[in-house]
Amino acid sequence: MAVNKDLIRNFCIIAHIDHGKSTLADRLLEKTNSVAIRDMTAQLLDKMDLERERGITIKAHPVKLNYLADDGKEYALNLIDTPGHVDFNYEVSRSLAACEGAILVVDATQGVEAQTLANTYLALDHDLEIIPVINKIDLASADPDRVAKEIEDVIGLDCSEAPRISAKTGINIEAVLEQIVKGIPAPQANDNLPCRALIFDSVYDSYKGVIVYVRIKEGRIRPGDTLRMMATGAEFTVVETGYMRAREPEPCSELTAGEVGYITASIKTVSNARVGDTITTVDNPASKPLPGYRKVNPMVFCGIYPADGADYENLRDALEKLQLNDAALSYEPESSGALGFGFRCGFLGLLHLEIIQERLEREYDLDLVTTIPSVIYRINLTDGSTIEIDNPTHYPDPGLISSCEEPFTDSHIYSPADYVGTIMELCQERRGIFKNMDYITPERVDIHYEMPLNEIIYDFFDSLKSRTKGYASFDYEIKDYRESKLVKLDVMLNGDVIDALSFIIHSDKAYAKARKIAERLKDNIPRQMFEIPIQIGIGGKIIARETVKAMRKDVLAKCYGGDITRKKKLLEKQKEGKKRMRHFGTVEVPQEAFMAVLKLDDND
Amino acid sequence: MTMTDSKPVGLYIHVPFCKSKCPYCDFYSVAMKPDTAECYVKEVIRRIREYNLIYDTVYFGGGTPSLLGSDRIAKILGSVYVTNDCEITVECNPSDICRENTELSFGKLRSCGVNRISMGLQSADDGERRSLGRRTGRNGIERAIRTVKAAGINNISLDIMLGIPGQTEDSLAATLGFCIESGVKHISAYILKIEENTFFGRNAEKLSLPDEDRTADFYLQTVETLGNAGFEQYEISNFALPGYESRHNLKYWNDEEYLGTGPAAHSFLGGKRFYFERNLEDYLGGAKPVSDGIGGTAEEYIMLILRLKKGLDYNSFKAKFGCEIPDEIKSFAALLAEKGLAQANENGFHFTPEGFLISNKLIYETISKLSLPGGH
């Protein structure tokens, strides 16, 4: 049966974090009877526990809904949920490219935020029809009129028809569905052209292999077809095509132009079905891929080590499994004198890093030590060559360096005007270069800074949140590389460099940071058999030092009545204690001391 | 289990009775009723007779052995085979000695062979003593020492404690001075350890305890003061005039064998370690001791011998275990010597007082370098 293209609507929901995107998605599912109410758990589409807990979407799940509209026709609504964080901007852009329209959800209590704008511009770049929706009108502090005006003023979208809803309580959800049908165009689609299908996400399934989510732009795909990934050149034979339903996939005989669905083809890893790649058929190949594909490169790197060296193999297995599902995650083995064997891992951003770390700990039950995150630095050497390093360990001898460059970002912070002072202070501390400031409304500003990436990958977002009581929002993109006065700090215990604690920092900040690290280590390293000097140096020059005093008392004074058991138990305890320590020569450093240094932030 | 014609061993008798619990003590004790005491004495005698052994040291510990009274102690001793020169120690609470006590006669104890009395002084400062739950004042202790000496028992040991609430350098000096002047031959100075299941353990944060550094300083002060007075430190916590070292306790540290009887008593006999559970009823009901594995391993030997001033002798170790001390231990000893924590030469090493203070750590490090086959 030929699919009537006029009855298809492909759309996504975009919003600033916490403005209710996933809740609205749940409600749409419910209203279209895609899922029985008793099966509803909040935010059905966010399948990972982690996504649900953090309230953010990491993977983009499509779902096909059937909606009987007021005009009496039944429409197929393909909802493509998108990731909601700057780290995943490329993925967002691919999801948008699969749609003709977007629902823009704005919180009636908060108004336009950083990602409201960033996502809207991204959607406009893809020529999407945007339907504004004002959410959370049930809250006492909701001010939908003000927010509607803000959307009109700031974004320039007409809000006279914008549904005012409460996704949480279900108010006015029908209006959203009607707007989707009326406001979003049906796909322009031709089944008879050579096949071009956009991959907007893929997930690994241990039974079916990779499940590829596609939007068919032109042509058709049937089980048995031989497909070619146009960027990677990999070829596969289609096993199954189908639609994603809220509960379970629904196989179909073919996917045709304009439709959104899934394909399985015994693909072993997601890196063979990269987000943004174009699928064509080998029999009747398209001459050109769809625009917009790029291979995503990690921006942030850190070492991940098992707390217990015996877990190294388990960690590798876990990373391997996570990578099956996450083409943006990179890892390669490295070893550290301090931490033993582990992996240098690359991430899209800090959130991506945290998510991977949390999944490793939670889903794979691993106890991890992670080193200070690093960006990619360019080091120009005196011999005229340039090297790129993402690991301080590879920092060359300062005598060989003629100059260093670090990545800078274009950063936008949206905030109530009250916090301008404190935000500028924070950006200044983070070596930001002020560009300009726009008043979006009399109460809200967009502050534009150029900031080094290495100043924001760590705890910038947390600091921003805490200094603005959570009101400020933040968005950034990489701009360029700039020359910078960088130095490498080395931490020495008892004269030995602890490689895992080395990091690259701007020279203006080196002294203050060095002192903090020295203090932190002193407070967290228990007394040892001997006095231990802690030194922090740049090259051979020591810029901070502290001393861990020698232990004075650790003795079982009484071995009463020949009770050797007690003494033996004490030795066992020592052994247990020692297991949790990292050893450098005769120095023992507890895991917590590393964590204390690695977690040093602005508030210390 | 029967042994005959064997070498003399030590005998430890745990007397699990106390009038009241001291707030820092977690040794096993219960209140004493007269008929329980009779049952206890009978059971101790029965159990000792199960072993056909000869003893060259006997030690009544507790608890409070003096609570048993001299008749019951004599009754037990009457059923124990001892060598001529057997050292027989009874721990006494000074309060049992100085009050009018017809049950405790030191003349009687002496006549049945008791030749060493150990008493808990803890501190010469009455305020400090009270905070430790000790009933007798300083005068009472002096009287107790006179009483014991008058009965002809001159080998007296006093226990004192270091790092107790309120202790100062001066109060410790006074306590040490008291010990030296009292004419006792032996002093045990124990650093207070806060045990979980005691009053102190439950109220640790309310006690004004000296910190790690001060306690360490008290210990060094003790070693120095007693050394100057002729009391040689022969073990972490033990000091004696020449020839008055506790032979019984030395058995523990030299990894020699002993039989322990009474609830909570530990034994090392026939190469095996075993102990009785902390339960008087079970003991009286004939409960078997619990196995605690093989004794006398190289690891255990080092752990114990390093508590002694004489320390680890590499040749003795080789003679006993048939293998050399690993070089890692020897170089570790040299490192410790360099840091002032040990004295070492090519034949062996022993800890200095500073080393004794952190001996748990040092012993652990030493043993972990002992990768000998059969070392476990």
Side-chain angles (χ1 to χ4, degrees):
Chain A
M1 188 183 78
V3 176
N4 183 349
K5 313 295 184 198
D6 291 337
L7 297 180
I8 298 175
R9 296 292 182 272
N10 298 318
F11 71 103
C12 56
I13 306 176
I14 56 178
H16 185 70
I17 202 159
D18 282 342
H19 279 200
K21 186 177 73 168
S22 297
T23 316
L24 175 58
D26 285 353
R27 209 54 66 197
L28 295 178
L29 260 58
E30 190 190 304
K31 287 287 174 197
T32 55
N33 297 318
S34 298
V35 55
I37 291 176
R38 65 167 186 281
D39 290 334
M40 293 285 298
T41 57
Q43 306 186 358
L44 260 181
L45 288 182
D46 289 348
K47 280 185 185 155
M48 271 189 261
D49 287 348
L50 205 63
E51 293 184 332
R52 229 172 266 161
E53 264 169 49
R54 289 186 169 234
I56 48 168
T57 308
I58 299 161
K59 299 293 274 185
H61 304 283
V63 63
K64 184 179 175 186
L65 317 171
N66 290 69
Y67 174 61
L68 185 61
D70 290 352
D71 62 13
K73 295 178 196 158
E74 187 174 276
Y75 289 83
L77 308 185
N78 292 310
L79 164 59
I80 297 172
D81 203 11
T82 57
H85 192 274
V86 287
D87 280 4
F88 305 101
N89 255 351
Y90 172 70
E91 283 78 354
V92 176
S93 81
R94 294 305 83 203
S95 293
L96 297 179
C99 302
E100 277 78 35
I103 298 174
L104 173 67
V105 181
V106 183
D107 186 321
T109 68
Q110 300 199 337
V112 174
E113 295 283 353
Q115 283 149 33
T116 313
L117 280 175
N119 287 321
T120 304
Y121 292 141
L122 215 49
L124 289 173
D125 283 349
H126 290 89
D127 290 328
L128 299 195
E129 195 61 45
I130 298 176
I131 296 174
V133 167
I134 298 170
N135 190 22
K136 304 196 189 180
I137 58 162
D138 57 309
L139 296 183
S141 57
D143 189 352
D145 292 338
R146 179 183 67 82
V147 170
K149 184 160 186 310
E150 202 172 290
I151 297 171
E152 288 182 348
D153 291 350
V154 178
I155 309 177
L157 288 174
D158 176 12
C159 280
S160 54
E161 301 282 311
R164 298 180 177 195
I165 68 163
S166 165
K168 195 171 146 214
T169 60
I171 301 169
N172 243 349
I173 302 302
E174 293 79 2
V176 178
L177 288 163
E178 281 303 311
Q179 288 253 358
I180 292 169
V181 169
K182 289 187 192 127
I184 294 174
Q188 297 285 322
N190 186 338
D191 295 352
N192 301 318
L193 288 171
C195 173
R196 291 207 292 177
L198 171 70
I199 302 177
F200 60 86
D201 203 359
S202 56
V203 296
Y204 181 80
D205 178 282
S206 48
Y207 297 105
K208 296 182 172 178
V210 176
I211 300 172
V212 187
Y213 298 140
V214 292
R215 157 70 195 271
I216 314 281
K217 291 284 189 178
E218 290 148 3
R220 58 182 80 214
I221 293 176
R222 290 194 183 100
D225 287 352
T226 303
L227 302 181
R228 179 183 300 141
M229 309 295 171
M230 294 184 78
T232 64
E235 293 185 5
F236 300 96
T237 302
V238 178
V239 174
E240 187 179 309
T241 55
Y243 307 112
M244 294 304 292
R245 294 294 192 172
R247 303 285 303 282
E248 51 201 10
E250 174 191 309
C252 65
S253 57
E254 65 172 357
L255 288 172
T256 61
E259 289 192 292
V260 170
Y262 71 89
I263 298 168
T264 66
S266 304
I267 302 171
K268 296 283 185 297
T269 100
V270 289
S271 59
N272 283 325
R274 291 181 179 276
V275 171
D277 201 350
T278 302
I279 298 178
T280 190
T281 49
V282 170
D283 288 349
N284 182 16
S287 56
K288 264 174 41 184
L290 296 163
Y293 173 75
R294 70 185 157 90
K295 189 171 181 295
V296 287
N297 292 315
M299 301 299 303
V300 175
F301 296 81
C302 78
I304 295 186
Y305 291 83
D308 179 354
D311 275 336
Y312 175 79
E313 289 297 326
N314 297 336
L315 175 57
R316 192 177 56 194
D317 291 349
L319 283 167
E320 216 167 80
K321 287 198 185 109
L322 287 181
Q323 201 185 38
L324 285 177
N325 225 340
D326 185 349
L329 167 68
S330 72
Y331 67 93
E332 56 184 54
E334 72 169 3
S335 69
S336 143
L339 301 175
F341 290 99
F343 296 92
R344 191 77 190 164
C345 301
F347 308 93
L348 296 173
L350 203 67
L351 178 77
H352 190 208
L353 182 161
E354 282 175 20
I355 288 165
I356 295 294
Q357 192 184 340
E358 239 177 280
R359 291 190 66 187
L360 288 170
E361 290 183 336
R362 206 186 287 198
E363 293 169 30
Y364 297 91
D365 200 20
L366 293 164
D367 215 351
L368 302 175
V369 181
T370 49
T371 64
I372 298 170
S374 171
V375 301
I376 300 175
Y377 296 99
R378 284 189 191 145
I379 314 280
N380 303 311
L381 302 177
T382 47
D383 67 2
S385 63
T386 297
I387 55 169
E388 292 197 340
I389 58 166
D390 61 59
N391 186 342
T393 317
H394 302 141
Y395 191 81
D397 183 286
L400 301 174
I401 298 174
S402 71
S403 66
C404 300
E405 293 172 45
E406 64 176 324
F408 264 68
T409 64
D410 251 333
S411 293
H412 286 268
I413 296 160
Y414 298 81
S415 165
D418 302 352
Y419 298 110
V420 167
T422 178
I423 291 168
M424 290 180 73
E425 202 180 308
L426 173 66
C427 293
Q428 232 54 55
E429 281 166 22
R430 299 302 182 102
R431 299 191 285 126
I433 300 162
F434 178 77
K435 298 311 284 183
N436 54 41
M437 179 160 75
D438 289 330
Y439 275 82
I440 306 167
T441 69
E443 296 83 32
R444 292 182 55 76
V445 286
D446 164 8
I447 308 170
H448 178 193
Y449 267 89
E450 287 173 2
M451 281 204 284
L453 181 62
N454 95 345
E455 294 284 348
I456 58 179
I457 52 166
Y458 196 40
D459 61 340
F460 178 78
F461 195 54
D462 290 340
S463 296
L464 182 67
K465 284 277 175 199
S466 71
R467 291 190 190 198
T468 60
K469 302 196 170 74
Y471 282 115
S473 58
F474 169 65
D475 195 23
Y476 72 91
E477 58 185 47
I478 304 296
K479 189 175 169 66
D480 52 16
Y481 270 78
R482 295 185 191 173
E483 196 167 315
S484 192
K485 280 195 310 185
L486 300 172
V487 292
K488 184 177 110 169
L489 283 190
D490 284 319
V491 176
M492 280 167 280
L493 285 181
N494 214 20
D496 297 327
V497 173
I498 309 304
D499 54 5
L501 292 181
S502 296
F503 62 100
I504 294 167
I505 188 170
H506 192 267
S507 65
D508 291 353
K509 299 189 142 192
Y511 281 82
K513 187 82 169 183
R515 273 196 298 277
K516 272 185 202 159
I517 292 175
E519 278 167 27
R520 200 47 94 81
L521 280 174
K522 182 189 148 219
D523 294 343
N524 284 278
I525 298 177
R527 292 175 161 205
Q528 317 260 316
M529 280 185 284
F530 322 119
E531 192 175 278
I532 307 294
I534 301 168
Q535 296 160 302
I536 320 273
I538 300 174
K541 192 172 131 208
I542 304 302
I543 62 169
R545 74 169 289 150
E546 290 280 350
T547 304
V548 180
K549 286 205 275 179
M551 166 198 292
R552 288 295 304 282
K553 182 179 76 98
D554 178 14
V555 55
L556 184 63
K558 204 164 187 175
C559 237
Y560 196 81
D563 179 357
I564 307 300
T565 320
R566 179 180 288 226
K567 177 88 186 151
K568 278 186 183 161
K569 276 185 191 149
L570 241 114
L571 292 181
E572 282 302 313
K573 242 177 157 177
Q574 295 252 5
K575 204 186 269 175
E576 281 305 306
K578 197 147 173 140
K579 263 196 203 157
R580 284 183 281 114
M581 298 281 193
R582 298 280 171 181
H583 301 272
F584 309 101
T586 54
V587 187
E588 294 174 354
V589 182
Q591 209 92 283
E592 301 82 67
F594 280 106
M595 299 320 282
V597 171
L598 299 176
K599 292 241 181 296
L600 254 183
D601 62 34
D602 260 21
N603 305 316
D604 296 297
Chain B
M1 198 194 310
T2 302
M3 295 185 172
T4 48
D5 304 324
S6 49
K7 198 178 143 205
V9 297
L11 174 63
Y12 175 75
I13 298 164
H14 190 83
V15 183
F17 305 114
C18 280
K19 273 207 177 120
S20 62
K21 268 251 180 250
C22 297
Y24 55 85
C25 178
D26 79 336
F27 293 133
Y28 180 64
S29 72
V30 295
M32 184 178 79
K33 292 176 209 134
D35 40 333
T36 339
E38 292 307 326
C39 294
Y40 167 79
V41 168
K42 254 190 230 157
E43 184 63 15
V44 166
I45 292 170
R46 188 188 72 76
R47 298 222 186 216
I48 292 172
R49 280 187 178 151
E50 283 184 352
Y51 299 87
N52 192 13
L53 291 171
I54 185 158
Y55 303 97
D56 56 358
T57 66
V58 179
Y59 197 105
F60 288 87
T64 314
S66 51
L67 266 187
L68 276 183
S70 35
D71 284 352
R72 295 197 185 99
I73 292 171
K75 198 168 170 191
I76 293 172
L77 283 172
S79 62
V80 176
Y81 298 111
V82 298
T83 57
N84 279 336
D85 62 345
C86 185
E87 175 195 274
I88 303 178
T89 306
V90 178
E91 283 185 346
C92 293
N93 188 326
S95 74
D96 293 337
I97 304 174
C98 42
R99 75 190 150 88
E100 284 307 307
N101 188 344
T102 48
E103 287 193 15
L104 187 66
S105 152
F106 284 90
K108 173 109 191 186
L109 285 180
R110 192 190 167 212
S111 66
C112 67
V114 174
N115 48 26
R116 190 170 180 272
I117 296 294
S118 169
M119 274 190 265
L121 168 66
Q122 315 316 357
S123 165
D125 181 290
D126 285 348
E128 286 176 12
R129 287 175 54 73
R130 265 195 301 278
S131 77
L132 294 172
R134 307 296 290 190
R135 302 184 295 271
T136 319
R138 178 180 169 133
N139 297 339
I141 312 254
E142 284 170 339
R143 198 153 13 111
I145 293 170
R146 281 199 301 275
T147 307
V148 174
K149 281 184 183 167
I153 303 176
N154 283 309
N155 190 353
I156 301 173
S157 175
L158 291 179
D159 287 356
I160 62 169
M161 292 182 88
L162 309 178
I164 54 183
Q167 194 163 43
T168 65
E169 200 182 311
D170 290 344
S171 76
L172 176 59
T175 297
L176 294 169
F178 177 91
C179 293
I180 292 163
E181 282 155 29
S182 66
V184 300
K185 312 291 188 195
H186 186 280
I187 296 161
S188 300
Y190 298 114
I191 295 174
L192 172 65
K193 181 167 184 289
I194 302 296
E195 303 287 353
E196 256 175 64
N197 295 315
T198 62
F199 178 82
F200 273 15
R202 286 184 293 272
N203 297 278
E205 67 284 357
K206 290 181 213 147
L207 303 171
S208 56
L209 290 165
D211 66 11
E212 175 175 349
D213 286 309
R214 287 198 73 201
T215 305
D217 289 339
F218 289 151
Y219 179 81
L220 296 178
Q221 179 188 350
T222 303
V223 175
E224 191 186 349
T225 307
L226 294 182
N228 290 339
F231 287 86
E232 209 211 328
Q233 180 178 31
Y234 68 100
E235 193 259 0
I236 291 177
S237 308
N238 287 283
F239 304 80
L241 295 177
Y244 285 96
E245 295 83 5
S246 162
R247 280 163 45 203
H248 181 80
N249 286 337
L250 277 171
K251 281 190 192 297
Y252 301 147
W253 304 316
N254 280 316
D255 216 12
E256 290 169 3
E257 301 207 332
Y258 51 91
L259 173 69
T261 197
H266 286 247
S267 300
F268 174 30
L269 206 61
K272 293 185 178 108
R273 293 197 179 270
F274 51 92
Y275 63 92
F276 289 105
E277 300 274 19
R278 293 164 65 106
N279 186 314
L280 180 60
E281 282 79 51
D282 289 355
Y283 178 79
L284 295 181
K288 293 254 180 299
V290 182
S291 167
D292 198 16
I294 301 292
T297 61
E299 190 174 289
E300 196 180 273
Y301 176 77
I302 291 178
M303 165 179 108
L304 294 166
I305 211 86
L306 283 175
R307 293 184 65 90
L308 292 174
K309 184 59 179 280
K310 68 173 184 180
L312 176 61
D313 179 81
Y314 301 151
N315 290 324
S316 307
F317 181 87
K318 192 179 177 189
K320 201 168 164 76
F321 297 99
C323 51
E324 295 283 350
I325 280 285
D327 288 342
E328 287 76 19
I329 290 184
K330 292 179 181 172
S331 52
F332 180 61
L335 176 67
L336 295 182
E338 190 190 306
K339 303 280 184 182
L341 297 172
Q343 288 190 358
N345 59 31
E346 64 277 15
N347 296 320
F349 75 100
H350 65 84
F351 296 142
T352 59
E354 286 82 1
F356 279 142
L357 269 171
I358 58 168
S359 52
N360 283 347
K361 179 77 191 163
L362 301 187
I363 288 171
Y364 172 74
E365 290 297 331
T366 309
I367 287 173
S368 64
K369 294 171 174 57
L370 185 77
S371 48
L372 293 173
H376 294 272

